[in-house]
Amino acid sequence: MGAQDFRCPPIENPADPAQRPALPHRTDSPYIPGVLRRCEARRTSLDELAETTMTDLVNDMTERFLRDAGIAPGMRVLDVGCGRGDVSFMVARIVGERGCVLGVDRDPAPIAVARRRAAELGLGRVAFEERDIAALSPTAERFDAAVGRRVLMYQPDPVAAVRAMAGAVRAGGLILLQENDPTMGQGSLMPMDLHRQVHQWIWRTVEREGASLHMGFQMPSVFEEAGLTVQLVRAEAIVQTPRIQHQLAFIVRAMLPRIVQQGVASEAEVDVDTLEERLAAERTKANTTFVGDLVFSVCGRTRSPV
């Protein structure tokens, strides 16, 4: 099943509230796999899972962007590069019972996880398929919108990738993409050496894997070259204080095999088991604000027929 034949699966008895699957307020971020494992081990309820991840800064940015850019109840949405389904589930909450979501990813491993999560949550209006962006072809029945997070930075031809997404979206439909970008570096008034080191580990690894580090800045031009009308461009900083933290330690834990494989740092250098504690101690000692990466959000609209 792909973009060309996906249908919103019907609810067996829409009049019966018991037949209506509840959608989570938040889903786990790919940045916090430790939290996800603990939640799954406890068979955490949706409300508890939402509370656990409520403070994830990037998820908050993503949901604001989706709503502000026009994702609304009843829409059919394609999530490209969906991974474990984090954005797919977020979109599903917004589009509600009358809408539906299809997540596609070229990697079968996260697709299997996403399907399991959807089944555990009882979400019959969310489906996942193993599919590359290049396999998205123009179809007769298209989606109202396509979304993606941290997808373009890994594409060898970002313009072709956006065109492929646009081909799966109806005329006048939306393309909403979000990318992290370290171009402007990190900033703080006091020395924050460990925080800067962690960012270097992350971005050196991503760069050695072939990703573009400047896709956030490039996205508006990519959208226009792909033939879209750019409607919204937004950049928000990931800001931490002694009392507001981003999940840097969880990101590094998730990326540790890749960090080691790319020769960026050894496990001993990272010392991931104490990393969160050391980061917190540095923020407390500095008692200052630390500005991390920018998160760029761009919304474009496909051309309507003349």
Side-chain angles (χ1 to χ4, degrees), residues 42-115:
R42 295 197 310 265
R43 292 286 181 176
T44 308
S45 70
L46 292 182
D47 289 341
E48 289 172 328
L49 182 59
E51 187 63 28
T52 301
T53 62
M54 187 67 71
T55 58
D56 185 71
L57 302 177
V58 175
N59 264 0
D60 289 344
M61 294 177 188
T62 301
E63 183 160 350
R64 283 198 306 274
F65 169 52
L66 294 174
R67 292 181 181 278
D68 292 348
I71 300 299
M75 293 181 69
R76 295 163 41 87
V77 181
L78 177 69
D79 180 13
V80 178
C82 65
R84 298 158 56 97
D86 299 303
V87 174
S88 299
F89 296 134
M90 185 184 298
V91 172
R93 176 180 173 267
I94 298 172
V95 301
E97 298 171 2
R98 294 182 293 109
C100 56
V101 183
L102 174 64
V104 297
D105 197 289
R106 63 186 177 187
D107 188 343
I111 285 291
V113 174
R115 286 172 175 164

Side-chain angles (χ1 to χ4, degrees), residues 211-293:
S212 168
L213 303 193
H214 312 294
M215 185 49 63
F217 276 91
Q218 296 167 347
M219 268 204 299
S221 297
V222 169
F223 272 49
E224 291 176 354
E225 190 173 345
L228 301 180
T229 300
V230 175
Q231 294 195 319
L232 172 65
V233 178
R234 176 181 294 174
E236 300 178 83
I238 299 175
V239 179
Q240 298 185 81
T241 74
R243 285 161 294 281
I244 299 174
Q245 71 170 15
H246 185 44
Q247 307 293 342
L248 279 178
F250 288 111
I251 297 172
V252 174
R253 184 180 292 278
M255 291 184 63
L256 186 58
R258 296 159 56 193
I259 291 171
V260 173
Q261 182 181 19
Q262 294 299 328
V264 173
S266 67
E267 290 190 17
E269 288 174 306
V270 174
D271 190 10
V272 71
D273 290 333
T274 68
L275 184 56
E276 184 174 9
E277 181 180 338
R278 288 183 286 131
L279 286 167
E282 184 175 71
R283 287 194 305 274
T284 300
K285 181 179 180 180
N287 193 30
T288 191
T289 297
F290 179 81
V291 179
D293 308 325

